[in-house]
Amino acid sequence: MDNNAIIQIRELTKSFPMGKSKFTALSNINLSLEKGEFTGLIGPSGSGKTTLLNIVGSLDTPTSGEAWVLNQSIGSLSAKEAARLRKEKLGFIFQSYNLLAVHTVFENVEFPLLLLKIDAAERKKMVMDALEWVGLTDKVKSKPPQLSGGECQRVAIARAMVKRPSLVLADEPTANLDAANSHHILQTMVKLNEELKTTFLFATHDDKVIGYLRRKIYLLDGKVANDEWVKDYHTVK
Amino acid sequence: MIRFLIKGLYYDKSRSRLPIIVVAIGVMLAVFLNAYITGFMGETVELNARFANGHVKVMTKAYAENESQLPNDLALTEVTALKKELSERFPELDWAARIQFGGLVDVPDENGETLSQGPTTGMGIDLLSSESMEIERLNIRESIVRGRMVQQPGEALLAEEFSRKLGVNPGDEFTLISTTMHGSMSLYNFKLAGTLSFGNEAMDRGSIIVDIEDARTALDMDDAAGILLGIFDTGFYDDERALEIAYTFNAGMDDEDEYAPVMKSLTQQSGMGQLVEVTEKWSVYIIAIFIVAMALVLWNAGLLGGLRRYGEFGVRLAMGEEKDHLYRTLIYESVFIGLTGSIIGTALGLFAASLLQGDGIDITGMMEGSAMLYPSAIRTRITPTDYYIGFIPGLLSTIVGTMLAGLGIYKRKTSQLFKELEA
């Protein structure tokens, strides 16, 4: 195994039972991601990108092959170990933000730190730092229904980033946003990637996201169709 | 985390309001019913103890077998000696001899002819000796409607309603026609000292109360009494001790002798055992009923809440919260809801009970024709138990309801979370 790799996937196959037969969502995938990458899994619906994101996020296990994430073999993790990996090392950003609607912005961002049992003073500092990264320090007491879609997604980014995860997994993060907000969100993520060296892995078919990626892994019918690095990548879009 | 959960309950009224209302209503009813049962049933038991059954009762074996017929021919004899013996052996009880009898009250006109006549059941009790506690025990002084208390031999008290039906007033004379202990006809003149209303149908229907020595004279029952009642000095019935006393007393008696005295505790007498048992077990029944009923409602509320919070649970699982932890946090929430609902419900229940603790609701009309002694009003009695009893169904039902509703968390597949959270 490559010790520099944050994600290493070897001959990974994932299939699901469908009646008496089975459906193969991922077939013989080989990939390696290093720390600090800003990479996307690109492909149409049904290409297997969310399935792969699930496995990398320790939400699912491979049928065969190996997936190592942050030096942990996903296939051999117990449910509790998988939860601990997600809690300590991974951040998630969802298409629909999935904020806790009844809680304030501060409390939404604070929640992952509560799971980590970080003390109150430290929590407050970390939450305020995360909100500063996304430019929402003035919305601390607001609740999600009072925010715009772009602001909600920025809160979701702050929530994913607040514990300084090694890897952030984002599933179609701009699907519900207009172009201006999408660019704003993506610029925020690029900035965090560069400043905090956090690895970002996207699942997307949105051109706006694709335009920001440094590495593009194209999936088609559960297989890696192309894996390319962007030459002359400029941080400011 | 606890603060986070409480904030969630506070912000999200639909998460907390319905369960708290359900718990508060259930707890309120549980507290009120317990106070009602303690009050009404307890009062019924004590009323029967004071008027008819005592906390223990001594009769001859034969009298006990035919008690409903008031068979004074089977009465206890040499009662003074027996009472002395009982007082020495069981000093925690106050002993009172009584004679119960049936007969006719005949009211004459100015010519001595019968003006009116009516059947009566009477009681001869110790009204005139200084050490007697019977007047206070039966609340006679406070029950007098017209006239005054019996002050000398030859005076009697009649039920107010009965006296009005007969047209006899305080100061008038009347004759008690009955049967002596030996089976002869008995005629005895009394002067009506006053009229009574005990406030319960069975006693007020047609009763006459006379001093026990007058009853003995009238019924030819020298040093005899139908029953000897023992009442605990504390005023409260202690079933365990009463049974122990009865067992000890009966152990020394001759089983073959029909005229030998036999002692029965309150619970060993007709219907009273069940009543005491129901009174004692009622709290358990109330708690059990409300736990089941509220748990069912809260289970459903929890299931609906689980559907509404499906996204929240999903994102929490995705962020790395363990299923066990998520399940536990739901139980913490339910404890908070249970406590809040129980506090509100207990306060409301105590308030409702306090409204009925004084005068209560008059149920005299409902008790017409009743042979059993019931209080004339439904009164609650607030006891220390009422301050905590509601917390048992309040907390248990919310916890059980949540535990059942929350089991769905364990069925959640993390592999579906991304898909589910896209919706």
Side-chain angles (χ1 to χ4, degrees):
Chain A
M1 202 191 93
D2 181 357
N3 285 335
N4 293 325
I6 204 164
I7 299 170
Q8 198 150 39
I9 294 167
R10 291 276 155 77
E11 296 175 0
L12 183 146
T13 296
K14 179 70 186 177
S15 50
F16 301 98
M18 281 188 78
K20 285 180 181 172
S21 60
K22 61 179 182 180
F23 167 72
T24 302
L26 294 171
S27 176
N28 202 27
I29 303 285
N30 288 286
L31 275 177
S32 182
L33 267 78
E34 293 196 356
K35 184 174 167 60
E37 282 195 23
F38 201 78
T39 298
L41 301 169
I42 304 161
S45 294
S47 60
K49 54 189 189 301
T50 301
T51 305
L52 188 52
L53 212 59
N54 264 334
I55 293 170
V56 172
S58 73
L59 295 167
D60 205 353
T61 51
T63 307
S64 65
E66 280 190 273
W68 290 80
V69 176
L70 298 160
N71 296 322
Q72 297 201 54
S73 171
I74 298 298
S76 59
L77 293 179
S78 68
K80 283 194 176 207
E81 288 167 336
R84 195 182 311 139
L85 174 66
R86 294 197 298 275
K87 182 167 67 180
E88 293 173 358
K89 305 275 178 61
L90 305 182
F92 289 87
I93 299 169
F94 305 96
Q95 177 182 322
S96 310
Y97 331 130
N98 286 295
L99 300 176
L100 307 178
V102 299
H103 287 277
T104 63
V105 164
F106 184 93
E107 287 156 0
N108 266 280
V109 179
E110 185 189 28
F111 186 74
L113 305 179
L114 290 173
L115 295 179
L116 291 171
K117 297 191 169 92
I118 291 171
D119 71 77
E122 179 70 6
R123 266 197 331 258
K124 188 175 180 186
K125 186 182 175 307
M126 291 171 81
V127 171
M128 293 312 292
D129 284 349
L131 287 173
E132 199 172 327
W133 296 334
V134 296
L136 283 175
T137 47
D138 58 331
K139 301 281 184 184
V140 168
K141 289 182 180 170
S142 302
K143 290 184 180 172
Q146 299 166 321
L147 304 176
S148 68
E151 286 171 329
C152 281
Q153 197 58 301
R154 280 152 65 196
V155 176
I157 293 169
R159 182 177 65 183
M161 293 299 298
V162 69
K163 62 188 173 190
R164 310 276 179 104
S166 306
L167 173 64
V168 171
L169 304 171
D171 188 24
E172 306 282 10
T174 55
N176 290 342
L177 299 176
D178 58 26
N181 268 313
S182 295
H183 286 297
H184 189 179
I185 292 297
L186 288 160
Q187 281 163 6
T188 304
M189 288 197 269
V190 167
K191 190 179 83 174
L192 290 169
N193 167 252
E194 291 181 345
E195 289 178 4
L196 303 174
K197 305 296 177 207
T198 306
T199 309
F200 278 80
L201 180 62
F202 294 86
T204 187
H205 59 258
D206 184 348
D207 288 339
K208 296 188 289 292
V209 178
I210 294 168
Y212 281 83
L213 297 176
R214 219 174 293 147
R215 182 183 175 190
K216 301 169 186 175
I217 300 167
Y218 290 91
L219 293 177
L220 192 63
D221 297 333
K223 292 178 181 164
V224 176
N226 196 12
D227 183 355
E228 62 180 43
W229 287 85
V230 177
K231 292 173 185 170
D232 304 323
Y233 183 83
H234 297 288
T235 56
V236 181
K237 289 278 168 180
Chain B
M1 181 55 92
I2 298 291
R3 267 181 65 190
F4 178 85
L5 297 173
I6 291 173
K7 278 181 185 173
L9 290 172
Y10 179 72
Y11 295 146
D12 185 5
K13 297 289 186 286
S14 58
R15 194 184 299 180
S16 52
R17 191 165 41 200
L18 175 67
I20 286 176
I21 289 172
V22 169
V23 173
I25 291 172
V27 168
M28 182 187 76
L29 289 172
V31 170
F32 179 78
L33 280 176
N34 192 62
Y36 160 70
I37 292 299
T38 314
F40 183 68
M41 303 284 260
E43 208 170 321
T44 304
V45 168
E46 285 305 320
L47 194 66
N48 277 276
R50 284 186 285 120
F51 277 92
N53 300 312
H55 289 152
V56 292
K57 186 197 273 187
V58 179
M59 308 158 273
T60 65
K61 207 172 156 191
Y63 188 101
E65 284 166 9
N66 301 284
E67 196 183 350
S68 60
Q69 297 168 31
L70 307 177
N72 283 326
D73 54 324
L74 304 173
L76 294 163
T77 53
E78 298 175 5
V79 169
T80 309
L82 179 59
K83 192 176 162 187
K84 188 166 176 265
E85 182 200 334
L86 287 166
S87 299
E88 284 168 5
R89 286 181 68 188
F90 310 111
E92 71 261 56
L93 292 152
D94 180 68
W95 297 95
R98 288 187 190 171
I99 295 173
Q100 294 169 293
F101 55 87
L104 280 172
V105 168
D106 183 280
V107 181
D109 60 15
E110 60 272 17
N111 301 318
E113 300 294 327
T114 297
L115 173 71
S116 58
Q117 208 173 54
T120 184
T121 52
M123 236 187 342
I125 59 176
D126 188 353
L127 295 174
L128 297 175
S129 67
S130 56
E131 72 272 17
S132 171
M133 294 169 72
E134 293 282 76
I135 295 171
E136 286 73 29
R137 184 172 292 138
L138 300 179
N139 203 29
I140 293 175
R141 219 179 292 278
E142 285 72 23
S143 303
I144 289 176
V145 180
R146 290 183 294 146
R148 57 168 172 76
M149 187 58 209
V150 168
Q151 288 171 346
Q152 56 193 10
E155 291 185 339
L157 299 167
L158 278 182
E160 166 67 7
E161 201 183 322
F162 187 46
S163 76
R164 288 203 181 276
K165 276 184 187 166
L166 294 174
V168 60
N169 297 306
D172 294 349
E173 288 201 346
F174 64 87
T175 304
L176 171 69
I177 304 169
S178 188
T179 314
T180 70
M181 185 179 178
H182 308 292
S184 311
M185 189 175 181
S186 153
L187 296 165
Y188 197 84
N189 289 337
F190 284 99
K191 186 177 175 186
L192 183 63
T195 62
L196 290 164
S197 175
F198 286 112
N200 68 69
E201 173 67 17
M203 286 299 295
D204 290 339
R205 208 176 296 143
S207 64
I208 173 172
I209 289 181
V210 300
D211 180 59
I212 191 162
E213 291 306 328
D214 279 332
R216 280 174 174 154
T217 308
L219 305 174
D220 200 9
M221 294 177 70
D222 186 34
D223 201 19
I227 53 174
L228 249 173
L229 297 186
I231 306 278
F232 283 110
D233 291 337
T234 56
F236 296 106
Y237 180 62
D238 178 349
D239 191 42
E240 204 174 323
R241 180 66 188 135
L243 285 168
E244 193 183 322
I245 289 170
Y247 179 79
T248 309
F249 180 81
N250 294 333
M253 293 299 150
D254 180 1
D255 284 349
E256 303 297 315
D257 184 0
E258 282 204 323
Y259 293 93
V262 62
M263 190 186 286
K264 289 189 172 187
S265 73
L266 179 69
T267 49
Q268 289 172 325
Q269 297 174 54
S270 56
M272 296 310 295
Q274 282 174 313
L275 198 64
V276 171
E277 197 179 355
V278 167
T279 307
E280 285 175 350
K281 290 185 177 169
W282 188 252
S283 304
V284 179
Y285 297 150
I286 291 173
I287 290 169
I289 289 165
F290 280 98
I291 285 175
V292 172
M294 288 197 292
L296 285 173
V297 176
L298 294 167
W299 178 10
N300 278 289
L303 287 173
L304 289 172
L307 285 176
R308 218 170 38 78
R309 297 171 72 186
Y310 199 73
E312 177 199 328
F313 296 160
V315 80
R316 284 168 63 175
L317 289 172
M319 281 195 284
E321 187 169 2
E322 288 171 22
K323 287 178 178 178
D324 286 346
H325 186 267
L326 180 49
Y327 190 66
R328 275 204 306 277
T329 61
L330 291 180
I331 291 170
Y332 296 155
E333 285 183 3
S334 73
V335 169
F336 182 78
I337 286 168
L339 274 176
T340 309
S342 297
I343 291 168
I344 295 169
T346 299
L348 292 172
L350 288 172
F351 174 71
S354 71
L355 295 177
L356 288 186
Q357 198 168 222
D359 296 335
I361 299 170
D362 191 341
I363 53 161
T364 315
M366 291 162 67
M367 295 300 160
E368 274 178 28
S370 168
M372 201 160 172
L373 293 174
Y374 282 105
S376 57
I378 292 177
R379 279 187 211 92
T380 54
R381 187 191 293 168
I382 297 173
T383 59
T385 311
D386 297 315
Y387 288 87
Y388 66 80
I389 196 168
F391 284 79
I392 302 170
L395 278 170
L396 273 182
S397 61
T398 46
I399 292 170
V400 170
T402 304
M403 284 173 81
L404 291 169
L407 287 173
I409 288 168
Y410 289 99
K411 293 177 185 161
R412 199 87 183 257
K413 288 184 178 167
T414 52
S415 58
Q416 301 297 313
L417 287 178
F418 266 121
K419 265 186 193 163
E420 289 169 0
L421 295 172
E422 276 173 16

